[in-house]
Amino acid sequence: MTDTTAPAYSGPKRIFSGIQPTGNLHLGNYLGALKKFVDLQATEWETIYCVVDQHAITQAPDVWGGPELLASYTRQIAAAYLAAGIDPKRSIIFAQSAVREHTELAWVFNCVARMGWVERMTQFKDKAGKDAERASVGLFTYPVLMAADILLYKATHVPVGDDQKQHLELSRDIAERFNRDFNVPDFFPVPEPLIKGPGARIMSLKDGTKKMSKSDPSDLSRINLVDDSDTIAKKIKKATTDPLGPMPEDVKGLEGRPEVENLVGIYSAVSGESVEAVVAKYAGQGFGVFKPALAEVMVAHLAPITARYREIMDDPAEVDRVLRDGADRARAIAAPIMDEVRRTVGFWGA
Ligand code: AMP
Ligand code: TRP
């Protein structure tokens, strides 16, 4: 699953990833990130999964819901982690804001990262839109905080969707630069992205060239993790295809058909069957056959998760207990690493 060869760093292997508590999770978040978080528990590696609430506030309060809603959105993501199959005994689940060292390390990294590196980040340009002067400074340094999230735990591997690739490259640059500037070779591992797989880039159901996203105004463009079976079936039925005929005869026939390729990719990611196998199974069939079959595998996979999610959300105190326990365990790893950073930088009293 690793994209490149393992780093020279010889410390323990550790997985870290995070999801922002902004809006409902959709199938892209699930297949690009959450499902991988769950699958990685089968390795011997330590797994740490964060709800990155400090990243959420980089945009205006009306975008992330405002102070009355933020904590409950954080609980919702934690509940989705649990519902998808993250075991709170096996993995650490916690809220970023509960471990103060994240922002402390982010400051040091703000002084390690170069303006030119951060200015290249395309997600800032997308999110800031035309009026970048009005974007918050936090939105600009967002990827620096992300590097701090990962490196505060000396995490070696980071499962994310394809859209986070550039941010991971920045984290790698920051780790290398810190190690070099402070003359501590191998202090921070250079973290590896875990991106590959059929779910790395799930596209909108309405436009095969746009990624599935929380912010798309059309709810028909995405499958939400909380959608019921009828809604899923309806959205798949209404998903855009193309006038280029029925299902292709082979994988090459997916070229130039982004909408069909996306639906086949979703089928493959959800069922665990390869893209080749899915194409072979439905070769030459009409969408009247393929779409209901796709809806069926999706419902079979997602309905138990949705049901568990609703059950867990009925007991928010239990979710809070998981988050508190996770924060204690996260802090126990983070605090000594931050102490080492303080000493390395040369701060008074460290
Ligand atoms: P966010 O909601 O932006 O915090 O994203 C959470 C995770 O979902 C990140 O790892 C993203 O890369 C991943 N993700 C978001 N949208 C998609 C998508 N359309 N396809 C695959 N992965 C995605
Ligand atoms: N930037 C990520 C996203 O939008 C979320 C994130 C924040 C993250 N910190 C992280 C992902 C650390 C992986 C590791 O999806």
Side-chain angles (χ1 to χ4, degrees), residues 16-20 52 55 96 123 127 142 145-146 149-150 158-160 163-164 167-168:
F16 184 98
S17 195
I19 296 183
Q20 300 186 71
V52 288
H55 277 106
Q96 183 186 34
Q123 194 171 81
K127 283 197 181 174
Y142 170 119
L145 177 59
M146 176 164 164
D149 297 339
I150 297 164
V158 185
V160 279
D163 61 351
Q164 296 301 310
H167 288 163
L168 251 302

Side-chain angles (χ1 to χ4, degrees), residues 8 39 42 75 77 92 99 119 125 169 171 184 188 218 222 226 229 246 252 288 291 298-299 336 342 344 350:
D39 295 344
R75 264 181 222 111
I77 299 295
I92 296 177
V99 179
E119 273 168 359
K125 291 176 200 159
E169 275 155 22
S171 298
V184 281
F188 283 123
S218 166
R222 66 185 155 257
V226 294
S229 310
K252 242 183 141 321
K291 281 180 164 181
M298 283 177 66
V299 169
R342 282 191 203 106
T344 302

Side-chain angles (χ1 to χ4, degrees), residues 29 66 75 85 95 99-100 142 148 156 165 171-172 194 198 275 309:
N29 300 129
R75 264 181 222 111
V99 179
R100 292 171 203 269
Y142 170 119
T156 54
K165 199 174 180 172
S171 298
R172 294 167 61 86
L194 299 174
V275 168
Y309 174 78

Side-chain angles (χ1 to χ4, degrees), residues 201 203-204 206-211 258-259:
R201 195 166 169 78
M203 309 311 280
S204 155
K206 288 280 138 200
D207 177 350
T209 62
K210 268 186 12 200
K211 70 170 186 178
E259 283 86 9

Side-chain angles (χ1 to χ4, degrees), residues 118-132:
V118 183
E119 273 168 359
R120 276 204 297 275
M121 298 292 117
T122 54
Q123 194 171 81
F124 173 76
K125 291 176 200 159
D126 291 346
K127 283 197 181 174
K130 286 191 196 70
D131 204 356

Side-chain angles (χ1 to χ4, degrees), residues 155-187:
T156 54
H157 294 79
V158 185
V160 279
D162 184 67
D163 61 351
Q164 296 301 310
K165 199 174 180 172
Q166 197 185 32
H167 288 163
L168 251 302
E169 275 155 22
L170 183 81
S171 298
R172 294 167 61 86
D173 288 342
I174 290 176
E176 283 175 331
R177 177 87 185 225
F178 180 96
N179 291 349
R180 189 153 35 87
D181 279 2
F182 291 98
N183 199 19
V184 281
D186 296 337
F187 179 78

